[in-house]
Amino acid sequence: MGIKTNPLWVILISILVYNVSSVCASFDYGTALSNSLLYFESQRSGRLPYNQRVTWRGHSGLTDGLQQGVDLVGGYYDAGDNVKFGLPMAFTVTMLSWGIIEYRDEIASAGELEHALEAVKWGTDYFIKAHTDVNVLWAEVGDGDSDHYCWQRPEDMMTSRQAYKIDAEKPGSDLAGETAAAMAAASIVFRETNPHYSHLLLHHAQQLFEFGDKYRGKYDVSIGVVKGFYASLSGYNDELLWAALWLYRASGREEYLKYAIDNADSFGGVHWAVSEFSWDIKFAGVQILASQLLLENKHHRKYEDILKKYRSKAEFYLCSSLNKNDEGHNARRTPGGLIFIRQWNNMQYVTSATFLLTVYSDYLNKTKQRMECPLGSVGAHEMLAFAKSQVDYVLGSNPRGISYLVGYGTKYPKRVHHRGASILSYKMNKGFIGCTQGYDCWYGKQADNPNVLVGAVVGGPDLQDGFRDVRGNFMQTEACTYNTAPLVGVFAKLRRLEELKYEEKMTSVSSL
């Protein structure tokens, strides 16, 4: 009662509430999280479920695999085209799963766990289908060249649905390794809620790892058509190490950890000092996973020396991202502070770095450790603050004041390079739209896309923070599943931190 009648208390509470609101209103990470999970529904191939929330999409690719005599219906389109590429799809699922493993409670508290699990399962259901025999994995459905001559909604596509596989005669250790990693990580995700499915995923992961290790080779050598789109430039050693560590984490079997230890030197795991982490180059992810074992003390003492070498290279990557390495060994930054690796779809490297920085900051915080970089010591708080700055840049804290997460805020890319989003929805116009008709009537239009690709992270700005929202500017306006996947867990983490901050302030107010 006293508070209501004392103007001083009223003013004090008003100031406190205003400060809390201004802090929490900086960015709505909860909405960003919800949006990011919607994006994966936009990218679905196959027969859409009854609870599909992205209503401008329809069924597509319903005969995938038919001419090869296998069922390859389902999975994800990787970007703005209608091809299903196995390597980036598997990496997307691995990163979604890793985000759930690290931030499950945070995702659940935001009410998004069910949607996150659905996003993972849409991918793993497809991988189970694609792994038709112990030493056979279907790698791609559709042809990138013919697909790129067409501008069609996936519901209309008339391009080749040729499917390509790897096997003992035409191996692909990189693809088998990444798919094994995805299924092993997902098996952890479903361990409590769906133990039978979890066991099935782990079984497939183990078989795929053995297949990739026994029959070694690059998948883009076996499947030449993929070279122009997702060539495996880093080779397959990183994927085999990556798969082994995920299998160790999923199964607890020492043989997988021993594999990563025994091959650490010959596969480059403790030699490659990199400044990027992506669907192709997994070394930084491998090194972070190995470092987690060291930080958590979840390893055998006999492996400690090798794990310390892994950690050293992990911290080179993190120090590079933070500009804490010696000159010439850091990732570039735009004037606005964004990590910049390369011009084409730079945001993929930003979001993956943000995830690794966030995860590592958690482990430093839990173990009360700091990271030593050539240009100074870094603590968990500083590392997380930088990761947050990258997320905030994506959401609009940048020189252009634009959100690169489509559908977030009021200013975001409206002409995303995406076939389905740029053409009137199949639900609105069931008339067939052919290859050239799509280009003539829709691709070159100056108007905004008729369908908003909510939750997509586009390629993003150039080195000078410049961005042209033009459909044909695919280096900047095309979005990919592996751009958004790493942010799911990070959004959930930041949302929960803001929520806790708000609760703390309100507790302080109520105690006055």
Side-chain angles (χ1 to χ4, degrees), residues 92-102 120 124 182 185-187 189 246:
T92 294
V93 171
T94 306
M95 294 309 296
L96 278 172
S97 297
W98 196 358
I100 297 170
I101 291 165
E102 299 289 346
V120 171
T124 52
S187 76
V189 167
W246 275 115

Side-chain angles (χ1 to χ4, degrees), residues 412-425:
Y412 53 83
K414 304 291 175 66
R415 291 176 283 278
V416 181
H417 182 93
H418 188 280
R419 288 158 174 75
S422 67
I423 302 174
L424 194 64
S425 168

